[in-house]
Amino acid sequence: MKILVTAGPTRERLDPVRFISNRSSGKMGYAIACAARDAGHEVTLVSGPVSLPAPEGVSLVRAESAADMARAVFDAFPRQDLVIMAAAVADYRPVEISEKKIKKQPGDFVLRLERTMDILAELGKRKCPGQILAGFAAESENLLENARKKLAEKNLDWIAANTVSDGFGTDTNTVTLLGRNGEALVIGPDSKARVAAKIVEIIASPPATR
Ligand code: CTP
């Protein structure tokens, strides 16, 4: 299969030296890309800024902001059989990007943010028959309820639900993989490599062999 994986955080620039981002390490997405490659698939990895080495045998596309990631993903999407969005895409970006470094002033500084595009929800709208879409749900409460909501609202086939305390920055993870046909499979706690291999095995297999 042709598989597109996204990984890591995005950075939303404020001025030449500052940005808004999040604590995603990219480890889970990179582990999924490597697991998919090892299973014999043709893998494209769209990665936000991370400090991980480029995996061998994977086509790597770098993206900085949510808008960059959206462009890279939409460009590749028509050629993909499966997309797994593991990136922690920023939901908001500064309304204005200053060309010059913002100087401090007396008093408070109010930062106005606007919504970025929900890449996965847009893919859910563009999805063609035969294309499989999978996302992650990072939650700090009501894990399965919120994940099921995202699965339905974004028109996904699969969602890997994980609590933020389990997965962010660590080498291990526990996910509950929810499928659009009511499947619910707990994977882990285990290394991100083994959790990733299991996720790929389930999502990238035809329904009859699952
Ligand atoms: N996602 C995306 N584009 C965004 C935000 C999220 O494609 N602008 C994708 C993520 O890659 C992930 C899924 O949507 O696969 C869910 O992301 P998550 O941060 O858990 O949830 P949100 O949809 O952003 O909702 P909320 O922040 O309210 O929990």
Side-chain angles (χ1 to χ4, degrees), residues 3 33 64 87 89 121 150 193 206-207:
I3 302 183
E64 180 165 300
V89 186
K150 287 176 189 171

Side-chain angles (χ1 to χ4, degrees), residues 45-122:
L45 173 62
V46 177
S47 174
V50 296
S51 52
L52 300 169
E56 271 175 42
V58 164
S59 162
L60 179 67
V61 181
R62 292 184 198 278
E64 180 165 300
S65 65
D68 294 338
M69 189 168 281
R71 263 191 300 276
V73 168
F74 295 152
D75 182 50
F77 185 56
R79 299 181 297 278
Q80 306 302 319
D81 302 305
L82 164 61
V83 177
I84 306 176
M85 286 275 314
V89 186
D91 290 323
Y92 294 91
R93 65 171 166 236
V95 171
E96 285 171 35
I97 301 176
S98 173
E99 293 296 314
K100 294 178 188 151
K101 185 185 167 205
I102 300 167
K103 300 296 287 180
K104 64 175 168 295
Q105 307 283 347
D108 296 344
F109 180 86
V110 178
L111 184 60
R112 257 181 76 81
L113 302 174
E114 63 188 8
R115 286 284 303 272
T116 58
M117 181 191 281
D118 189 322
I119 303 170
L120 192 53
E122 181 58 31

Side-chain angles (χ1 to χ4, degrees), residues 29-41 43 192-193 195-198 200:
Y30 274 57
I32 289 173
C34 292
R37 172 205 61 199
D38 293 346
H41 302 289
V43 182
K192 284 188 175 174
V195 171
K198 194 77 200 165
V200 169

